[in-house]
C-alpha cells in the first residue's frame, strides 16, 4: 500500500478503534455494575450507596449539591432521599444560615450503614480490578481522568 493510501485509510482505522474503545468501556461498565448490584444484594441499592457515600464524605449537602455530585436529576434524587428518609438513614434539615435551603444529613443509622458498606464496597471494587496490576490501574485511572477532563464543559473565560 502506498503512503498516500495508508494516510487515507488511517482515519477509518482510528474510527474503528474509537468505536471498539467505546464498546469496551460500555461492556466493562455494565459488567462492573452488574457484579456490584449482585454483591450488594437487598441490603442497599447502588443509588442509596452513592447517597450514603457522598454524605459520609461531606454530611449536610443540599439537594442541588447531591444532584451534581451523584450525576442524577433533581427528580430522581428527591425520590431517593424520600425513601432514605422514610427508612431512617437520612434526615432533611433547614440550613441555619438560609432557611430556603434544605440540607441532607446522615442519621446515626445511616452513619452505621455507611461504615459497614463503604469498606465492603472498596473491597469489591479491588476484587473486580484484580485483572490489572497496580501500575496498569494507575495508568487506566490517569487515562480515564484525561478523558473525563477533555469531556468536561469548559468555563467561559
Amino acid at each position: 500500500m502506498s503512503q498516500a493510501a495508508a494516510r487515507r485509510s488511517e482515519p477509518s482505522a482510528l474510527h474503528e478503534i474509537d468505536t471498539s474503545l467505546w464498546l469496551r468501556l460500555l461492556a466493562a461498565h455494565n459488567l462492573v455494575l452488574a457484579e456490584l448490584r449482585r454483591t450488594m444484594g437487598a441490603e442497599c441499592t447502588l443509588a442509596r450507596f452513592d447517597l450514603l457515600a457522598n454524605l459520609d464524605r461531606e454530611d449536610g449537602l443540599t439537594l442541588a449539591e447531591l444532584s451534581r455530585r451523584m450525576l442524577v436529576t433533581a427528580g430522581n434524587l428527591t425520590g431517593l432521599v424520600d425513601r432514605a428518609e422514610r427508612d431512617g438513614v437520612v434526615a432533611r434539615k433547614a440550613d441555619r444560615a438560609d432557611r430556603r435551603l434544605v440540607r441532607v444529613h446522615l442519621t446515626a443509622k445511616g452513619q452505621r450503614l455507611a461504615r459497614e458498606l463503604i469498606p465492603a464496597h472498596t473491597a469489591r471494587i479491588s476484587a473486580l480490578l484484580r485483572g490489572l496490576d497496580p501500575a496498569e490501574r494507575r495508568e487506566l485511572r490517569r487515562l480515564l481522568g484525561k478523558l473525563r477532563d477533555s469531556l468536561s464543559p469548559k468555563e467561559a473565560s
Side-chain angles (χ1 to χ4, degrees):
M1 178 186 292
S2 71
Q3 286 183 340
R7 281 194 300 274
R8 281 193 305 272
S9 68
E10 192 173 313
S12 176
L14 189 56
H15 288 306
E16 289 175 21
I17 290 170
D18 292 346
T19 301
S20 175
L21 178 59
W22 166 246
L23 292 172
R24 286 181 183 196
L25 282 169
L26 283 177
H29 175 262
N30 289 336
L31 289 167
V32 167
L33 281 181
E35 183 60 17
L36 290 175
R37 283 186 183 110
R38 187 188 70 74
T39 58
M40 194 156 286
E43 65 189 31
C44 186
T45 66
L46 285 175
R48 180 167 293 185
F49 174 80
D50 195 16
L51 174 66
L52 293 172
N54 272 282
L55 292 172
D56 185 66
R57 278 191 290 283
E58 185 177 348
D59 201 23
L61 295 171
T62 65
L63 292 171
E65 290 166 333
L66 280 166
S67 177
R68 277 192 301 278
R69 290 179 188 203
M70 295 175 63
L71 305 175
V72 297
T73 66
N76 285 341
L77 182 65
T78 298
L80 179 63
V81 171
D82 285 348
R83 289 184 297 280
E85 189 173 37
R86 176 201 65 210
D87 295 342
V89 295
V90 301
R92 288 181 173 101
K93 297 178 185 174
D95 185 280
R96 293 178 189 201
D98 184 349
R99 294 194 47 85
R100 294 171 297 178
L101 294 177
V102 173
R103 296 196 174 273
V104 181
H105 296 270
L106 287 174
T107 62
K109 180 179 178 181
Q111 290 169 350
R112 284 190 305 277
L113 190 57
R115 280 194 307 269
E116 173 187 324
L117 293 175
I118 291 170
H121 181 76
T122 300
R124 287 181 191 115
I125 294 295
S126 292
L128 290 171
L129 295 174
R130 71 185 174 278
L132 301 174
D133 68 40
E136 290 169 328
R137 292 177 197 191
R138 284 190 288 278
E139 180 64 4
L140 181 57
R141 181 178 184 270
R142 184 190 70 76
L143 290 170
L144 289 173
K146 185 176 181 179
L147 176 62
R148 179 207 55 221
D149 293 346
S150 75
L151 298 172
S152 295
K154 307 295 183 246
E155 292 186 24
S157 303

